Amino acid sequence: MKINQNTRIIGQKVILVPYRKHHVAKYHEWMSVREIQELTASEPLSLEEEYEMQAKWQNDSDKLTFIVLRKDLFDASNSADIKTKEIESMIGDVNCFISVDFDEENKYLGELEIMIVDKNNRGLGYGSESIRLMINYCTSLLSEPKINEFVVKITEGNEASVEMFKKFGFQFSKKISAFNQIELKINVDQCLELSLAKNFFIDSNYLI
């Protein structure tokens, strides 16, 4: 999405950076893993198609995409090249797809997606902080369109992800049998009440 193409968000455990061309090769490796394809309900793409998708996402008006970096790895890197430091510390991505609610035309939904690739990086708070930072970014800086409700669609059996979102206050909405998923929702006002993101810094001039 153009609005975040020069935005970096720095949390306590993670750094969120816009998905750029130099990330694509590693992202493509991730999406070639069968488990990741199943968890994200994704079809494998060629490397060329992956570059095309990155360019499309960067210019989309309705999809926010950030690459998740482990802050400790980024800070500890000995490389003087920022792009190399980012690639070395990449652990996943976080997205928000914005759409009109089919049931209420004047209502906008923000569909959140989080992917932490390596199992060794799961359960350590990287995914939860990434979601909190994304929610805060959307609620504080996105005014057109203004999101009214956040939704997640999680593959059945992914209990860790379900429990994480329930801890945030998301509640069961419906079962999507055709895709073997369950849907959870939370109202934006409730997100604000829960203060879902703390101790972070937004750099809106991140040019590399």
Side-chain angles (χ1 to χ4, degrees), residues 10-145:
I10 304 172
Q12 293 181 303
K13 292 186 175 184
V14 301
I15 302 171
L16 305 185
V17 296
Y19 183 31
R20 290 177 170 157
K21 192 173 181 179
H22 60 275
H23 300 129
V24 173
K26 187 167 184 176
Y27 187 88
H28 178 65
E29 289 179 16
W30 291 346
M31 300 312 296
S32 300
V33 177
R34 187 61 173 269
E35 181 207 7
I36 299 302
Q37 293 172 10
E38 292 175 353
L39 287 175
T40 58
S42 302
E43 294 293 328
L45 301 177
S46 67
L47 182 57
E48 182 181 356
E49 289 171 328
E50 210 76 77
Y51 277 108
E52 291 173 356
M53 187 65 72
Q54 181 273 330
K56 179 180 182 297
W57 287 354
Q58 184 170 289
N59 293 303
D60 270 352
S61 60
D62 56 6
K63 186 178 179 71
L64 274 168
T65 300
F66 286 100
I67 292 294
V68 180
L69 312 180
R70 258 185 60 175
K71 189 173 183 295
D72 58 343
L73 296 181
F74 182 87
D75 292 342
S77 173
N78 293 319
S79 177
D81 180 62
I82 295 296
K83 292 180 181 179
T84 300
K85 292 178 68 163
E86 287 189 358
I87 293 168
E88 290 175 347
S89 55
M90 286 171 62
I91 62 170
D93 74 338
V94 61
N95 309 299
C96 184
F97 178 72
I98 303 166
S99 63
V100 175
D101 191 329
F102 288 122
D103 299 321
E104 298 181 49
E105 290 188 6
N106 295 322
K107 185 176 179 180
Y108 284 91
L109 300 177
E111 182 178 340
L112 298 168
E113 300 173 338
I114 178 68
M115 174 178 72
I116 301 297
V117 178
D118 192 327
K119 289 181 179 179
N120 293 329
N121 286 320
R122 298 175 194 167
L124 299 174
Y126 304 125
S128 59
E129 184 176 59
S130 298
I131 286 292
R132 286 175 172 159
L133 294 175
M134 177 63 95
I135 286 175
N136 190 283
Y137 180 81
C138 290
T139 54
S140 61
L141 293 179
L142 280 187
S143 56
E144 278 296 323

Side-chain angles (χ1 to χ4, degrees), residues 163-177:
E163 288 305 312
M164 179 183 75
F165 281 101
K166 283 185 175 180
K167 286 180 181 178
F168 290 160
F170 281 73
Q171 296 183 341
F172 177 82
S173 171
K174 63 183 177 183
K175 184 175 180 178
I176 310 171
S177 300

Side-chain angles (χ1 to χ4, degrees), residues 152-165:
V152 291
K153 296 174 183 177
I154 304 171
T155 301
E156 286 192 88
N158 188 354
E159 294 301 326
S161 188
V162 171
E163 288 305 312
M164 179 183 75
F165 281 101

